[in-house]
C-alpha cells in the first residue's frame, strides 16, 4: 500500500499562480514533479519521499544509517570490515 | 536508487534472517498491516526464508482491497452512465464491482483514465471545462493528504467540474478491529511505515498497551521488513509490548503536521465500510461540508443497490489473519487474478493475489 | 531511434507537397483518392522493383526452408521516445523471423488508418519504415491501405508479415531444449514498455529512456553461423515481458526454469521508473531483446560473442533449464528468496496506491 | 456461404465450453488470458502441424518463384448474406495470390478485435475460416491476436497474408497486355457489395442476394494449365468495383479499353437493388470475381472452359484492349451511346433523392 | 424490371434518334429540368448521339445541388456540436458545406446515418428516446410528401425527439426564374416527371403560354428522355408551345391529391434560397406553425454565419443553362468530384459531376 | 432527381397502431416496404412507383404502352413485326 519512493529535489518553482511550491524530483535519473505543500522547509538537494505526486517526508540521513547500526549492534556486522560500505551513497 | 538499493543487500538480509532464527524460541504470528509489506515479503521470497516458527499474517492494508463494492459500482456508473471523466489510480481498475470492473467500463467506452496523482485530475478538469471530472480517491492516511490537496486546488482555482469519489480508510481502527476478533491470533504488528509518515506513532501507544502487542513501525524494503520482524520477535521473546520505529529515516514521531492540517481541512472522521470486513466506527474520512460541492457522492446522488459480496469469498477472514489464502476453498480454482471473486485477489498487494503470484503454491 | 537520427531522416526525406493534410475515408475506398495517395509520392519512399509492380501480390523468389510470420501493431502513442509504430512494425516481424533462425527478406505492410491521421504523421511513420527496412536489409514488396471512420480505429494499426530463408545451420525448436541449457538474455529489460509509459498521459515522467526497438536479424545470424545447433531456442520477449515468455516455454515444453533476479540486466532509469509506478520489469514489454536457450557447453562462448555485438553489450546469462519443478519458473530474488514466476493476468497497471 | 452450409459447419464444429463470453482486453495482453484463449480449443479449429509449433514464426518450405500478398479486411456488418469477415479474409488473400498465377499455400492470420466481441461470433468467424481454408487447400501457419478498447476498433479486423508457388506456365503481368486482348469477366458483378448493402441499417431490403466470396485459385490454376501465357493479366475487382480496376489498368498500362455495357453479367436482384438505391453496379465491390486479359485468339476457348467451371458459369467477354484513346476506358451503353468510365471518387453513396 | 427494362431498348432508342434527326431543321436548346434526366442522358451517352442541332441544357433539378450552403453547415453543426443523430439521404453527404461535408462530419465521429426513407428516421427516434434525431429533409415536390409524412408520424405517435431540417424547393418557380434570365436561351423544357407525379401538370400551362415554350412532362429511362426530346422538337419545329405528357404511365393530369394534402398539412409555401441561384420567391416549403416543434431550425435556433460561395464557381449560370460545365474555368482543374468547389460537382446528378464522370471530356 | 422505381405490391399490412397501410413491394425480386398513405386505393398486384419509402403513383398499364404506340404512330415501328414485343411483360 501507499507506494512511495525517495528522490532528490533538483529544482523548485512556484506554480498555480505562485501559490504552490512544486519540485522536480529525480528518482535514479528519471524526473517527476511533486508538490512540496506538505514539506514547507524542503529544499534543493534534499531527499524526499514522494507519494502520488506529493512529497510527504524528508529523508533523515542520520536515521537512514540506523538499520546498519542496528545490525552492527546485534553483532551481525561484526565480521564486516566497515559499516560505511552499507551506508547510503551519494546518488549521481 | 539511493535509500532503496542499500536496503536490498542480500548479505545483510541473510544476517538478519540468521539473527531471527537465533532469536525465535516459539511460534509467533506477526501481521504486516500494509499490503506494500506483503508485496515485499512475497516478491522477495521472504516468507519461505523465515523460520517455521514465524508466521506472517497479511493485514487489511490494501486500500484497493477494502474499498466498498458499492463505491466501485458508483464509479463505474459515473463513467458509463453519467459520462464523466473518471480518474483513478491504476490498481483500482481491476477490482471487481458487482457486475464489472473499471477496466471493463473503460473497455466499454467509458472515459476512465489512470493517473499518477490526484493533482493531475484537477488539471484535466481545468482542461475540459465542459466535462465533469471525478477522481476516485481511495487510500489510507498516506494518500488522504494528496486527495485533500486536489480538493483544495480545485476550490482555490474555482474548478467546479471537479469532484472526488472518496473512500479513505484509517489504519489504527482497523488494527483494533482485527485484533478484537476472537479468532484472531496476532502476536505483534509491523505498522505501516507510510501511514505513520503522515500520522506519526502516537496512535499506536494505546493499542500496544491495551492489547499487549509489540508494534514496530516498518518500511518496505527487504531489510526494513526483516528488521521489523526481528524487532517484533525480540520484544515478544522478552514479553515486551512497545511501539518501536524501524523506519526512522522516514517516519517522525509526530508524523507530518502539514499533511495532518490538510487532511483536517478537507475531511472529517466518520464510520467507514471496509470491503470484506464490514463497517468499522470512526475508520474513515468523509468530505467536510465546506467542500461538499467537491464530493461526488453528494454531487451525483447516485443510489446504487448494495450488491452482496460473493458468499464463498472469505476475504474478511483473510484480512483479519484468521485464515491464509490457500485455506479458501476457491483460491486458485474459481478465484484467480484473471477472475477474482474477492478484492484480495485483485491488487497484486492483496493477500490472495500476492500468494497466487509469487508463492510456490500454485500453478498459473 | 534517437532524436539525431530522426532529424537526419527527415532531412533526407522531405515530404512531397500534397493536396490533402489528413487521411480521409476516401483514401481507403479503392477509388480515385486511394490511387491519389498511392501516386502522391508518399509511398515512393518504399519503392523497389517488386513493390512497384503494384499487382494483387508480389513476385518473389524463395528456395527451401522458409520462415513466415505476422503481427499486428497497435501502440499508443504512435510516436514514443526511441521510435514510432512504423519501425516497431518492421522490426517486430523481422525479429520474429530472426527468432526462427531465418534471414528476413520480404515484408508485407498493411495499414488500417483512422480517418483524420495527419499525412505528416503518416509520412514520418513511412520514413521510419524505410530506414528500418534498409537497416535490416529487407524489402516491403506488397501492401494494403484501409481507412476507418473516427472512433473505429486508433490513429493507425499496422500489420506486417514477412518471409525469409532459414539459415542452413539453424535448428530452432522448443523440442531441442535440454536440461542444463543456459538461458541468455541479449540486453536490458523493460525499456520499450517504460519508454511508452513515460509519455502516457497522466503517468508521464522525464527520462532518457528510449524504446529498444531494433532489428535483431544480423546479430542472430552471426550467432547461428558460429554456434549453429547449440542454439536450441530463440524468442523475443515482447508483450507480457520476459516472465510471460519464459513461463509459456516452461509450460509448453514441460521443463523447469531457474532464474536469478540479480543477473537481469536493467537500465537504472528503467528500474527507477518501474519503482515509481509500481511495475515489475519482468512483465514489461521489450522490442529489441531476445532470449536464447543455449547448450550449457557453448553458453559462455556465445555470451562472449554476443557481448561484442551492438545488440548484445548487456547480454547476461539469467538462468538455466532444470529437471526439478517442470512447467515452473522459479526466480531467486536479490536477497536469496525464491518466488514462482507466473504469467501476467492482463495488462500490468501502474500500482500507486 | 449458404444457410445450409452454415448450419452444416456449425454442427460439425460445436464450440468448446469457455470461461468467458466476450473477448476482453486481457485476451490480447500477451499474458494468461491470451494463452487461455489460445488453449481454449477455439483455435484448435485451425490446427495443423506447422501452426501448432506456436513459435514466433512458421517453418515452411517454398521453392522457386513465389507470390506474396497481404490485405486487411474491415467489413460492416461482419456477418452478411453469403458469409462473414472470416472467409472473406481467407478468400481475399487466396484470390490475390491466384491473380498472380500462384497456388496459394500458406496463410498468416492476424486479428484486431474490439473488446466485447462475443466469443460465439469469433467462433463462427473461425469456423468460416477453417472451411474456407479447406476448400481452397491452404493452411493457416502463423497468427496473431490483438484486442483494442471499445471505440478503438470495429468488432474485428482481420489481416491475412499469404504465399504460394507461381505456376510454371503462368506469366501474369500488365506488361503482357496487347492491343486486341479480350477482357473476360468470370461472373455476375456487384453481388458482394449489394449483399452488404442489403443488411446495412437504414438501407436494408429483403433479397436472395449473397456475397460472391469464394476462392478462385482452383479455377485459375485450371485456366493457367490450359492457356498458360495467353493469359496476360488477372485481377480481382474488389473495392471500387470493375470500373475502378479497369481504369487503373488502362492508366498504368497506357492502353485503351472498350467495354460493352450489354455484355456485363449481373443478377436481376442485384441489378434491381442498384436501381433502388441509385448505385452503379460497375463501382460496387466484388469478392469472388476475376477479370482476365486474354490474347484474342484464345479468348473464346478460354471462355468456353471457364463457363464449365463452377466459378465461371456466367463468364462473359465484356470488352477489349484498343489502340485508340490510351488510358481511357470507354463503355458503350445499352442503347449504343458512349460514356467514359472514371474511377470512383470515394465510397459510392446511395442516391435516393 | 417491368416498366423499366422495356424503356431501355437499344433498337427503339435508335429509331427515336433517327426520327429526331429527321425532324430537327435548326438548332434548338432544350432544358431537362431534372437531374435524374441529366443522369440518364450522360449515363447512356445520349448527348453525343443527338444531332448537333440539339443542345441539352442541364437544369437546376438536383435538390442536393441547390440546398443552401448554410443549411449544410447547420446539419454539420447539429451532428458534431449538438450530438444529434443526423439522418440524411446518401447523396447529401458529399455536398460541401463551407468547411466540410457531412461525410467528413461522420468521419470525425458525428452520428450521421444514411437512410433510404424519412420514415426510418422516426423509428430511429423512437428507438433512441434519450437522443435527438434530425432528418435532413431536402427535396423537390416529389420528396416533400414523404418528409411531411415523417412529421405526421412523429406527431401522431408523440415522438418529441424528432425534427426535420427542411429544405424543399419547388420546380415551377425555378423554371420561371431560369427562363426569366436575360441570358437564357431555352427553347423548350423536359419537365420533371416525378415532380409532376405529385403536382400534376396544371402549373405548366401558364408557363408554356406566357413564355411560349413547349413543355413535355418526361420520364427517366432512355426511351422516355428521347421521346420527350422528340416531342419538344416536334412542337418547336411546328412553332407550338403546349404542355404534353410523355410520362402518362405515371403522371396524372391532376397529380396525386393525397400527396398534395399531406404537403399542405405540414408545409406552407415561402421564399427559398437556391444554392448558386439565390432567393426565388414562393419557391420552397417551410414547416407550418402547427408542427413547429418538429422544425429543427426553430428547435435548435442555430445561427451560423452565411459563408460565401466560392466566387470562381459559376454554378448559377450552369443551372440556368447559360454556361456548360466545361465553360467553367475550374472544371476538372481545381474542381473535381474529389474536391468539388460547387454543388453541381457533388451529386452525380449535378450537371458538372455528370459531365465529369460520364462524358468523354475529361480524364479522371 | 427524385429517384423512384416501379414495383409490384406483394402484400399489405396495417402498421403504426393500425393506422398506416404498408406494402411489401417487389422490385425485380428484391423486397422493400413502402407506405401506401398516398395511394389509398392501391392493392396487391398493382405496380406502384416508390420514392424514398413512399408509393406515390400507380402505374397505368394502358398508358405504359403509349410510348410504343407513339413510336408506331410516327412510323418508326413500321418494320417491327409486332408492337407487343415491346410492351411491358408480366414480371415473374
Ligand atoms: S481466494 Fe478469492 S475467494 Fe478466496 S478469499 Fe481470496 S479473494 Fe476471496
Ligand atoms: S465545375 Fe465546379 S466550380 Fe465550375 S461551375 Fe461546376 S461546380 Fe462550380
Ligand atoms: Mg486484388
Ligand atoms: Mg509474429
Ligand atoms: Mg512479434
Ligand atoms: Mg489490398
Ligand atoms: Mg479514437
Ligand atoms: Mg515474438
Ligand atoms: Mg492484397
Ligand atoms: Mg485483395
Ligand atoms: Mg504475435
Ligand atoms: Mg465501435
Amino acid at each position: 500500500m501507499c507506494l512511495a519512493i525517495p528522490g532528490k529535489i533538483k529544482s523548485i518553482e512556484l506554480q498555480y499562480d505562485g501559490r504552490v511550491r512544486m519540485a522536480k524530483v529525480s528518482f535514479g535519473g528519471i524526473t517527476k514533479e511533486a508538490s512540496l505543500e506538505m514539506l514547507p522547509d524542503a529544499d534543493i538537494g534534499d531527499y524526499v519521499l514522494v507519494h502520488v505526486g506529493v512529497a510527504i517526508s524528508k529523508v533523515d540521513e542520520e536515521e537512514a544509517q540506523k538499520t546498519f547500526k542496528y545490525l552492527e549492534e546485534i553483532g551481525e556486522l561484526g565480521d564486516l570490515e566497515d559499516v560505511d560500505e552499507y551506508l547510503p551513497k551519494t546518488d549521481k | 536508487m539511493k535509500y532503496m538499493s542499500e536496503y536490498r543487500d542480500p548479505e545483510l538480509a541473510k544476517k538478519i534472517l540468521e539473527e531471527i532464527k537465533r532469536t525465535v524460541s516459539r511460534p509467533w504470528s506477526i501481521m504486516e498491516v500494509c499490503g506494500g509489506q506483503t508485496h515485499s515479503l512475497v516478491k522477495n521470497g521472504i516468507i519461505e526464508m523465515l523460520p517455521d516458527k514465524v508466521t506472517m499474517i497479511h493485514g487489511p492494508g490494501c486500500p484497493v482491497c477494502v474499498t466498498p463494492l458499492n463505491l466501485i459500482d458508483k464509479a463505474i456508473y459515473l463513467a458509463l452512465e453519467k459520462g464523466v471523466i473518471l480518474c483513478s489510480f491504476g490498481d483500482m481498475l481491476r477490482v471487481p464491482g458487482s457486475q464489472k470492473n473499471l477496466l471493463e467500463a473503460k473497455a466499454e467506452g467509458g472515459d476512465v483514465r489512470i493517473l499518477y496523482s490526484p493533482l493531475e485530475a484537477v488539471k484535466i478538469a481545468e482542461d475540459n471545462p465542459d466535462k465533469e471530472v471525478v477522481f476516485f480517491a481511495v487510500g489510507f492516511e498516506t494518500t488522504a493528504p494528496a486527495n485533500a490537496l486536489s480538493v483544495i486546488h480545485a476550490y482555490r482555482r474555482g474548478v467546479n467540474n471537479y469532484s472526488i469519489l472518496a473512500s479513505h480508510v484509517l489504519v489504527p481502527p482497523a488494527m483494533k478491529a482485527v485484533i478484537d476478533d476472537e479468532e484472531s491470533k496476532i502476536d505483534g504488528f509491523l505498522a505501516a511505515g507510510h501511514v505513520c509518515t503522515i500520522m506519526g506513532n502516537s496512535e499506536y501507544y494505546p493499542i500496544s498497551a491495551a492489547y499487549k502487542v509489540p508494534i514496530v513501525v516498518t518500511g518496505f524494503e527487504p531489510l526494513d521488513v526483516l528488521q521489523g520482524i526481528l524487532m517484533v520477535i525480540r520484544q515478544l521473546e522478552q514479553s515486551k509490548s512497545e511501539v518501536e520505529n524501524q523506519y526512522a529515516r522516514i517516519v517522525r514521531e509526530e508524523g507530518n503536521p502539514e499533511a495532518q492540517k490538510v487532511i483536517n481541512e478537507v475531511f472529517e472522521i466518520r464510520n467507514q465500510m471496509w470491503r470484506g470486513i464490514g463497517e468499522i466506527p470512526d475508520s474513515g474520512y468523509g468530505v467536510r461540508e465546506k467542500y461538499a460541492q467537491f464530493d461526488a457522492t453528494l454531487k451525483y446522488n447516485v443510489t446504487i443497490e448494495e450488491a452482496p459480496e460473493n458468499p464463498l469469498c472469505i476475504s474478511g477472514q483473510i484480512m483479519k489473519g484468521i485464515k491464509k489464502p490457500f485455506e479458501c476453498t476457491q483460491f486458485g480454482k474459481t478465484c484467480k487474478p484473471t477472475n477474482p471473486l474477492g478484492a484480495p485477489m485483485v491488487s497484486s498487494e492483496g493477500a490472495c493475489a500476492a500468494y497466487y503470484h509469487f508463492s510456490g503454491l500454485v500453478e498459473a | 531511434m534517437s532524436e539525431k537520427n530522426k532529424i537526419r531522416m527527415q532531412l533526407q526525406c522531405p515530404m512531397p507537397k500534397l493536396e490533402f493534410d489528413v487521411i480521409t475515408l476516401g483514401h481507403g475506398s479503392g477509388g480515385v483518392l486511394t490511387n491519389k495517395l498511392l501516386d502522391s509520392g508518399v509511398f515512393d519512399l518504399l519503392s523497389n522493383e517488386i513493390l512497384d509492380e503494384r499487382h494483387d501480390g508480389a513476385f518473389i523468389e524463395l528456395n527451401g526452408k522458409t520462415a513466415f510470420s505476422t503481427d499486428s501493431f497497435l501502440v499508443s502513442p504512435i510516436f514514443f521516445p526511441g521510435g514510432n509504430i512504423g519501425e516497431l512494425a518492421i522490426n517486430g516481424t523481422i525479429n520474429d523471423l530472426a527468432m526462427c533462425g531465418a534471414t528476413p527478406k520480404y515484408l508485407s505492410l498493411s495499414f488500417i488508418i483512422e480517418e483524420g491521421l495527419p499525412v505528416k504523421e503518416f509520412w514520418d511513420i513511412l520514413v521510419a519504415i524505410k530506414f528500418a527496412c534498409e537497416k535490416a536489409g529487407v524489402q516491403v514488396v506488397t501492401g494494403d491501405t484501409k481507412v476507418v471512420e473516427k472512433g473505429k480505429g486508433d490513429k493507425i494499426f499496422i500489420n506486417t508479415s514477412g518471409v525469409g530463408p532459414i539459415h542452413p545451420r539453424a535448428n530452432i525448436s522448443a523440442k531441442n531444449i535440454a536440461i542444463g541449457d543456459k538461458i541468455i538474455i541479449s540486453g536490458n529489460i523493460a525499456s520499450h514498455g517504460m519508454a511508452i509509459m513515460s509519455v502516457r498521459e497522466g503517468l508521464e515522467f522525464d527520462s532518457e529512456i528510449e524504446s529498444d526497438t531494433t532489428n535483431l536479424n544480423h546479430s542472430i545470424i552471426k550467432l547461428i553461423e558460429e554456434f549453429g545447433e547449440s542454439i536450441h531456442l530463440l524468442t523475443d520477449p515482447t508483450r507480457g515481458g520476459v516472465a510471460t515468455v519464459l513461463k509459456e516455454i516452461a509450460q509448453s515444453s514441460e521443463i523447469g526454469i531457474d532464474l536469478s533476479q540479480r543477473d537481469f540486466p536493467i537500465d537504472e532509469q528503467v528500474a527507477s521508473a518501474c519503482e515509481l509506478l509500481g511495475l515489475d520489469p519482468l512483465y514489461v514489454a521489450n522490442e529489441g531483446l531476445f532470449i536464447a536457450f543455449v547448450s550449457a557447453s557453448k553458453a559462455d562462448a556465445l555470451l562472449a560473442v554476443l557481448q561484442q555485438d551492438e545488440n548484445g553489450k548487456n547480454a547476461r546469462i539469467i538462468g538455466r533449464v532444470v529437471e526439478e519443478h517442470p512447467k515452473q519458473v522459479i526466480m531467486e530474488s536479490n536477497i536469496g528468496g525464491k518466488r514462482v514466476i507466473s504469467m501476467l493476468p492482463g495488462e500490468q497497471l501502474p500500482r500507486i496506491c
Side-chain angles (χ1 to χ4, degrees), chain B residues 97-268:
Chain B
S98 62
Q99 306 294 328
K100 61 183 78 145
N101 61 31
L102 277 167
L103 208 56
E104 286 159 337
K106 177 173 159 69
E108 282 177 24
D111 192 347
V112 176
R113 304 192 188 177
I114 299 175
L115 298 187
Y116 171 72
S117 167
L119 303 184
E120 288 289 325
V122 184
K123 286 188 197 154
I124 290 174
E126 277 184 311
D127 291 347
N128 294 274
D130 43 321
K131 279 277 202 171
E132 284 293 323
V133 175
V134 176
F135 186 73
F136 197 2
V138 303
F140 276 71
E141 291 91 333
T142 322
T143 315
N147 290 341
L149 211 49
S150 79
V151 170
I152 292 174
H153 280 203
Y155 178 82
R156 277 199 211 135
R157 281 139 65 198
V159 184
N160 296 320
N161 58 330
Y162 178 70
S163 58
I164 62 171
L165 188 64
S167 174
H168 290 97
V169 278
L170 305 183
V171 163
M175 282 167 71
K176 274 188 269 182
V178 157
I179 203 169
D180 272 339
D181 194 296
E182 50 192 22
E183 293 186 73
S184 149
K185 358 175 179 161
I186 298 162
D187 299 311
F189 284 107
L190 304 187
H194 290 156
V195 167
C196 298
T197 303
I198 304 297
M199 305 306 286
N201 303 332
S202 59
E203 297 176 293
Y204 299 110
Y205 297 107
I207 300 177
S208 159
Y211 297 93
K212 304 254 171 293
V213 282
I215 300 179
V216 177
V217 174
T218 304
F220 300 84
E221 296 304 324
L223 291 198
D224 290 326
V225 178
L226 284 168
Q227 186 185 358
I229 292 169
L230 175 57
M231 288 165 80
V232 169
I233 290 173
R234 284 194 159 190
Q235 284 200 43
L236 289 171
E237 292 287 340
Q238 297 167 37
S239 301
K240 287 188 190 167
S241 51
E242 289 169 9
V243 175
E244 289 182 288
N245 184 0
Q246 179 276 331
Y247 202 36
R249 67 182 185 276
I250 298 293
V251 175
R252 317 280 169 267
E253 182 61 25
E254 70 284 7
N256 182 331
E258 290 296 326
Q260 292 164 18
K261 244 189 275 172
V262 168
I263 292 178
N264 270 319
E265 169 68 17
V266 176
F267 297 128
E268 60 196 6

Side-chain angles (χ1 to χ4, degrees), chain A residues 12-23 34-37, chain B residues 119 149 153 156-157:
Chain A
I12 297 176
E13 63 175 44
L14 292 175
Q15 289 185 8
Y16 301 111
D17 319 319
R19 290 218 229 196
V20 178
R21 289 170 77 231
M22 294 291 289
S35 156
L36 294 181
E37 282 161 286
Chain B
L119 303 184
L149 211 49
H153 280 203
R156 277 199 211 135
R157 281 139 65 198

Side-chain angles (χ1 to χ4, degrees), chain B residues 1 4 8 10 13 39 42-46 48-49 63 89-91 93-94 113-116 138-139 143 222 337-338 348-349 357-360 362-364, chain C residues 201-204 247 251 261-262 268 272 275-277 279-281 327-328 333-343 345-353:
Chain B
M1 287 169 77
M4 289 187 85
R8 296 176 180 181
H39 196 77
V42 289
K43 187 171 167 182
N44 289 291
I46 292 174
E48 283 182 286
M49 297 169 94
F89 297 124
D91 29 8
L93 266 68
R94 228 192 298 271
R113 304 192 188 177
I114 299 175
L115 298 187
Y116 171 72
V138 303
T143 315
T338 49
S348 53
E349 305 197 343
H357 281 307
F358 297 127
S359 74
V362 247
E363 253 287 57
Chain C
E201 224 193 307
L203 300 173
E204 59 279 77
K247 176 68 181 171
Q251 268 187 328
Q261 185 175 15
R262 210 167 322 195
E268 192 199 350
S272 302
E275 295 288 351
L276 181 78
L277 298 179
L279 301 175
D280 186 340
K327 296 187 171 188
Q328 294 274 33
S333 76
N334 279 331
I335 62 154
K338 295 229 159 75
R339 75 183 232 221
V340 170
I341 299 292
S342 51
M343 279 180 207
E347 210 193 341
Q348 216 184 178
L349 299 173
R351 201 168 53 81
I352 293 170
C353 179

Side-chain angles (χ1 to χ4, degrees), chain C residues 69-71 73 92-93 95-96 236 238 287:
Chain C
S69 188
T70 191
D71 261 315
F73 294 82
T93 288
N95 292 347
D96 276 348
D236 56 342
T238 51
E287 283 295 337

Side-chain angles (χ1 to χ4, degrees), chain A residues 18-91:
Chain A
R19 290 218 229 196
V20 178
R21 289 170 77 231
M22 294 291 289
K24 290 215 184 295
V25 183
S26 165
F27 305 95
I30 72 167
T31 308
K32 183 92 190 146
E33 274 204 335
S35 156
L36 294 181
E37 282 161 286
M38 312 289 164
L39 294 178
D41 58 348
D43 209 346
I44 293 173
D46 286 345
Y47 277 82
V48 289
L49 188 80
V50 176
H51 172 67
V52 300
V54 177
I56 54 173
S57 181
K58 262 173 70 174
V59 182
D60 185 320
E61 300 242 15
E62 206 172 303
E63 290 288 346
Q65 307 180 0
K66 285 263 174 81
T67 294
F68 308 99
K69 295 268 167 62
Y70 180 85
L71 290 174
E72 195 179 22
E73 230 171 69
I74 63 175
E76 277 310 313
L77 286 183
D79 52 347
L80 296 173
E81 315 74 52
D82 196 348
V83 166
D84 289 343
E85 187 184 324
Y86 293 98
L87 300 185
K89 284 135 207 152
T90 308
D91 217 34

